[in-house]
Amino acid sequence: MDTNLIYMPVFRVRQQEVLAMKHFDFGNSMYPLLEIVKEKTRKNDQNSFVEIYSGLINEISAQKVFVDLPIYINQSGSVQDEVVKFSFSVINNLEKRVAHLNMFSDIEKVIPVISSYLLKTGEENTIAGQERLLRPRFNSIGFRIYINSFKEDFEEVMQLATENDFLIIDLDKLGPFKTPPLKPVINALRDFNICKKVLLRSAINPDIENVKLDHGQVVMEADNSQIDTDIMSTFQVNATGDYAGIKKDNLTAGGTISPGFLYYDAVENQYYGYKALIKGSIDEFDNTIIPAILASDSTSSMLQSEPPFLSTDNWGYDTLLKISRKEESGRSQAKFKRIAIEHYLYCMKILIEKGELTQTNLPS
């Protein structure tokens, strides 16, 4: 199977991420990965699990949608109750997890994603167990393997993968330059060309706090180097991925209002931080953050790019303009999460269009 995949953004079923997923046209080269982390998107939804998520998947404008019930989810601390409950009742049970994935087998664009239970339960050969139950119902399978169990998981995948499948190498927060831990991974991937390979990492340090941003300055804790064809070539992967330009959501209950924004500069592949001058004031989005973003060198250079990264087709940027003209309210911290996602996805689309982000090392 030939595939156009170049970029894979990862989404959780959080309100603003769902809105972005439903609205954005992913085109032919971007396949989103949907992480289902709870039974329902809204607590009071009367529809069933399969009705809710089939509806969402069908609304996503993409050639393919990866669907994962992620095994790595943290089940302690301040994680939302419904996330913990779903993890214990469904995700932790191999048969139930696969049964939930099989519910989407009649949706042609779905690619189920499986991972090893080795680090969770100590069980071996759990990738093979899931693959055996999914293979009769799906044309393609995504194998998501993590660095801490790479050697064992990769050996299993090598025996199971077909040319229609995808190998997703999840670095989590590990930077792509962090060798020697990644040297065995790079060496192993070099000789593996059975299926398409995707490098996934969380580019933004989840510990970043808006109040600690240096206003208008590069955010050093946000390393977006996976969006680079040289890094992709080093890892011998065909595609790259991240969490759609935002922090990997820790799935906790909402916190306090703390106006701030990480603004992606697609020309430099860097993030710039903007924060409130009056701590905790929701009006600071209107009064301080948006004027600074729109007057920035980043905005100027992205407008002058050919084709431009910023236009009215970029929903995130267009919404910033509308707020600045008082056509929309900026008094919503949640809205700025979607603005960040939509702006970032549009930039990825333009990078692909410009040929600056391309497939590498296509299997012969």
Side-chain angles (χ1 to χ4, degrees):
M1 176 191 70
D2 190 27
T3 175
N4 301 312
L5 177 62
I6 296 172
Y7 171 63
M8 182 189 76
V10 181
F11 296 86
R12 260 76 181 276
V13 284
R14 299 284 255 182
Q15 185 186 24
Q16 298 302 318
E17 296 182 54
V18 168
L19 288 171
M21 258 189 295
K22 287 180 176 181
H23 172 260
F24 190 79
D25 181 355
F26 291 93
N28 298 326
S29 302
M30 299 164 71
Y31 299 175
L33 188 156
L34 170 62
E35 291 190 340
I36 298 177
V37 296
K38 51 189 177 182
E39 187 74 31
K40 301 191 173 188
T41 53
R42 298 189 311 277
K43 286 182 182 177
N44 59 350
D45 198 322
Q46 298 303 308
N47 292 316
S48 67
F49 172 88
V50 68
E51 287 170 335
I52 292 167
Y53 291 107
S54 292
L56 171 56
I57 292 163
N58 283 322
E59 281 193 68
I60 297 172
S61 179
Q63 279 197 345
K64 299 289 181 184
V65 177
F66 293 102
V67 178
D68 194 3
L69 278 62
I71 284 168
Y72 69 83
I73 290 295
N74 183 10
Q75 294 163 198
S76 60
S78 53
V79 175
Q80 290 179 316
D81 290 344
E82 62 262 41
V83 173
V84 174
K85 182 182 176 185
F86 187 68
S87 192
F88 274 117
S89 63
V90 175
I91 295 177
N92 290 0
N93 182 300
L94 186 150
E95 285 78 16
K96 285 184 180 176
R97 183 182 184 278
V98 171
H100 276 65
L101 286 170
N102 269 327
M103 291 177 191
F104 306 117
S105 60
D106 60 341
I107 306 175
E108 197 173 325
K109 63 184 173 184
V110 166
I111 302 172
V113 176
I114 53 180
S115 302
S116 166
Y117 281 80
L118 185 64
L119 296 179
K120 184 176 278 287
T121 65
E123 274 183 281
E124 296 180 352
N125 302 314
T126 52
I127 291 178
Q130 294 169 84
E131 187 266 352
R132 186 175 63 252
L133 296 168
L134 289 167
R135 185 68 74 186
R137 310 271 298 265
F138 292 95
N139 293 325
S140 302
I141 290 175
F143 298 98
R144 183 177 184 175
I145 63 178
Y146 302 91
I147 297 306
N148 291 345
S149 57
F150 179 84
K151 184 175 181 293
E152 297 86 349
D153 297 349
F154 184 65
E155 286 177 5
E156 218 177 330
V157 171
M158 280 197 297
Q159 305 301 316
L160 301 168
T162 73
E163 63 177 356
N164 290 342
D165 296 333
F166 296 83
L167 172 60
I168 301 165
I169 304 96
D170 191 335
L171 302 184
D172 193 23
K173 298 187 289 287
L174 201 60
F177 304 109
K178 302 292 187 200
T179 54
L182 293 181
K183 198 161 190 181
V185 175
I186 293 169
N187 291 339
L189 294 175
R190 186 169 292 130
D191 299 321
F192 179 80
N193 287 321
I194 296 168
C195 66
K196 295 293 190 291
K197 297 167 285 186
V198 187
L199 186 70
L200 171 64
R201 65 183 288 266
S202 177
I204 301 173
N205 187 326
D207 297 328
I208 291 174
E209 296 177 35
N210 288 342
V211 292
K212 294 181 180 176
L213 293 171
D214 291 324
H215 189 64
Q217 301 300 310
V218 170
V219 182
M220 302 309 292
E221 298 87 1
D223 165 18
N224 217 45
S225 50
Q226 80 285 342
I227 303 297
D228 185 291
T229 47
D230 289 340
I231 293 293
M232 291 161 67
S233 294
T234 299
F235 278 86
Q236 302 285 290
V237 295
N238 312 89
T240 189
D242 54 27
Y243 285 79
I246 61 171
K247 283 195 284 190
K248 185 177 180 179
D249 197 310
N250 59 13
L251 302 171
T252 54
T256 56
I257 290 174
S258 177
F261 192 73
L262 298 186
Y263 185 46
Y264 178 65
D265 183 330
V267 175
E268 296 185 7
N269 194 28
Q270 295 261 32
Y271 286 91
Y272 285 80
Y274 295 88
K275 68 176 181 181
L277 299 182
I278 303 170
K279 190 176 176 181
S281 170
I282 194 71
D283 292 323
E284 282 294 274
F285 281 116
D286 279 313
N287 298 339
T288 299
I289 293 171
I290 290 180
I293 289 171
L294 295 180
S296 67
D297 290 341
S298 295
T299 292
S300 178
S301 61
M302 284 192 283
L303 282 167
Q304 291 168 22
S305 172
E306 192 53 51
F309 291 102
L310 303 179
S311 73
T312 52
D313 292 330
N314 177 331
W315 186 95
Y317 175 67
D318 190 47
T319 303
L320 291 178
L321 291 178
K322 285 175 179 173
I323 295 171
S324 74
R325 297 193 297 257
K326 310 298 183 190
E327 294 170 15
E328 275 193 35
S329 171
R331 293 174 57 83
S332 165
Q333 186 158 305
K335 181 188 279 189
F336 282 82
K337 183 178 183 181
R338 181 178 170 191
I339 288 171
I341 293 169
E342 295 251 12
H343 164 63
Y344 186 82
L345 293 175
Y346 187 83
C347 288
M348 291 301 109
K349 203 173 204 179
I350 296 294
L351 285 172
I352 291 168
E353 191 179 312
K354 287 160 73 83
E356 292 181 19
L357 189 62
T358 61
Q359 283 188 339
T360 59
N361 182 43
L362 292 173
S364 57

